[in-house]
Amino acid sequence: MRSTPSFKLAAADNSSGTWTPSGGVQFLTVPLELAGQRIDNFLLARLKGVPRSRIYRILRKGEVRVNKGRVKAEYKLKTGDVVRVPPLRVADTTPAPLAGASLRQLVKASILYDDNGLLVINKPVGLAVHGGSGIRLGLIEVLRQIYPQSPFIELVHRLDRDTSGAIMVARKRAVLQHVQADLRSGRVDKSYLALAAGKWPRSRRVVEACLRKNTLKSGERMVSVHPDGKPSVSRFQVLERFRATTLLAVEPMTGRTHQIRVHAQFVGCPLAGDDKYTPDDVNRGFRSLGLKRLFLHSASVGCQLPDGEKVVVAAPLPDELGALLKRLREEMG
């Protein structure tokens, strides 16, 4: 009888490692370090070159089995689980590109905190947090190249590509699970700085609006306020008023896509430099002042680690945003 090829993921396996098709069924045994990870994320991290839609299809059809049984995409793996992966056609086996020396140095220089299984990075604007949708190299891929011997590196939460500032990355699964649980229960502090067009209403300190994601024919993802959307809450505090703009501190109480940007638009004060939700004529005015990006910055993050230690990390405001604020203050006289 023909034997079925199999292999075991070693305890030191990096979740960024690529899966190599064997032409037949493969069996992957889950090590301790990956216990608790959802099966869909487990497969997405390993089946490089396999379309995301294909991975979810084989899960729905039961072609992926865990311990010989069908599981849903949200199933959380346990140590020793045996995952059956069917033969799959790989669309693109080209390895992910290596980060250039300048990008690696930029990310290294942006590390604000690295201790107790937690990384906090001052993410540069324009850098996606992960590859996908035409982006082959993001922050998480660069970090895995910087820390090639690290057994575990995963995003705790996300930032838009156009947003700069503090973002948390876990280097231990226990830290990831603990901080994400606190995120879901609202026990993680996240504070942003945002510059809004217009005069923010003094009485509008909390915005509650359901948000729904939409995909345009062009493939662009947009978010809008809609009663069928997911509940979302943001707290806004006016820090400084200028002639036609308002500097705000924002605390998102939920973590919806584009939440702060759409909530600001909903109030009638869209964010400066936002090419998705701010009118072109308004953005032209900001460009004339030298702003070439979205004015949204993750100013600080705070969380409690599994051992009870409280970590609060602040991310300095990028020079280009500080320069704009200086110019606005000078105009005020």
Side-chain angles (χ1 to χ4, degrees), residues 271-275 278-288 291:
L271 299 190
D274 192 339
D275 59 6
T278 301
D280 290 341
D281 59 333
V282 174
N283 278 333
R284 280 196 294 271
F286 286 115
R287 284 196 294 271
S288 71
L291 183 65

Side-chain angles (χ1 to χ4, degrees), residues 46-281:
R46 280 156 190 80
L47 307 188
K48 302 299 184 182
V50 179
R52 186 184 186 93
S53 59
R54 174 70 172 137
I55 291 174
Y56 280 98
R57 190 179 308 124
I58 61 176
L59 278 166
R60 287 195 304 271
K61 294 176 66 177
E63 294 180 56
V64 171
R65 300 292 179 107
V66 177
N67 303 328
K68 301 183 179 180
R70 297 175 65 133
V71 293
K72 294 183 178 180
E74 58 269 24
Y75 172 80
K76 292 185 178 180
L77 294 164
K78 302 178 181 65
T79 303
D81 275 354
V82 177
V83 181
R84 175 194 183 276
V85 181
L88 293 169
R89 177 178 297 176
V90 177
D92 180 10
T93 57
T94 303
L98 290 175
S102 59
L103 178 56
R104 290 165 64 95
Q105 184 56 41
L106 175 63
V107 171
K108 283 183 179 180
S110 300
I111 296 173
L112 302 172
Y113 179 89
D114 183 5
D115 199 9
N116 300 313
L118 180 71
L119 277 168
V120 180
I121 313 294
N122 187 7
K123 187 187 80 66
V125 68
L127 178 63
V129 294
H130 58 74
S133 300
I135 299 170
R136 300 198 61 204
L137 194 64
L139 174 66
I140 196 68
E141 288 83 15
V142 178
L143 287 172
R144 287 168 179 162
Q145 292 176 23
I146 292 174
Y147 296 93
Q149 302 306 316
S150 183
F152 185 88
I153 297 182
E154 294 289 347
L155 293 165
V156 174
H157 60 113
R158 301 185 182 192
L159 289 180
D160 293 342
R161 185 178 184 179
D162 298 329
T163 303
S164 58
I167 182 171
M168 294 181 287
V169 177
R171 294 186 67 185
K172 292 181 180 178
R173 173 154 293 281
V175 171
L176 178 70
Q177 293 174 327
H178 181 85
V179 179
Q180 286 189 334
D182 281 355
L183 267 171
R184 290 189 292 270
S185 59
R187 293 193 296 269
V188 172
D189 299 321
K190 293 191 292 182
S191 180
Y192 291 74
L193 284 176
L195 185 69
K199 296 184 181 296
W200 188 270
R202 292 185 181 277
S203 61
R204 201 63 185 264
R205 297 182 179 180
V206 177
V207 176
E208 294 187 54
C210 294
L211 301 181
R212 186 174 73 174
K213 288 190 286 188
N214 306 290
T215 302
L216 306 181
K217 291 182 178 179
S218 62
E220 182 181 9
R221 184 174 58 176
M222 298 289 287
V223 178
S224 60
V225 174
H226 194 281
D228 293 336
K230 295 182 178 180
S232 59
V233 182
S234 300
R235 293 178 180 171
F236 291 84
Q237 178 187 358
V238 174
L239 297 179
E240 200 168 351
R241 292 186 182 275
F242 305 106
R243 288 178 181 172
T245 57
T246 308
L247 181 64
L248 300 164
V250 191
E251 294 182 23
M253 309 311 294
T254 50
R256 310 303 181 199
T257 301
H258 299 173
Q259 177 174 312
I260 295 174
R261 300 160 69 175
V262 179
H263 279 178
Q265 178 202 42
F266 179 64
V267 172
C269 297
L271 299 190
D274 192 339
D275 59 6
K276 283 182 178 288
Y277 303 106
T278 301
D280 290 341
D281 59 333

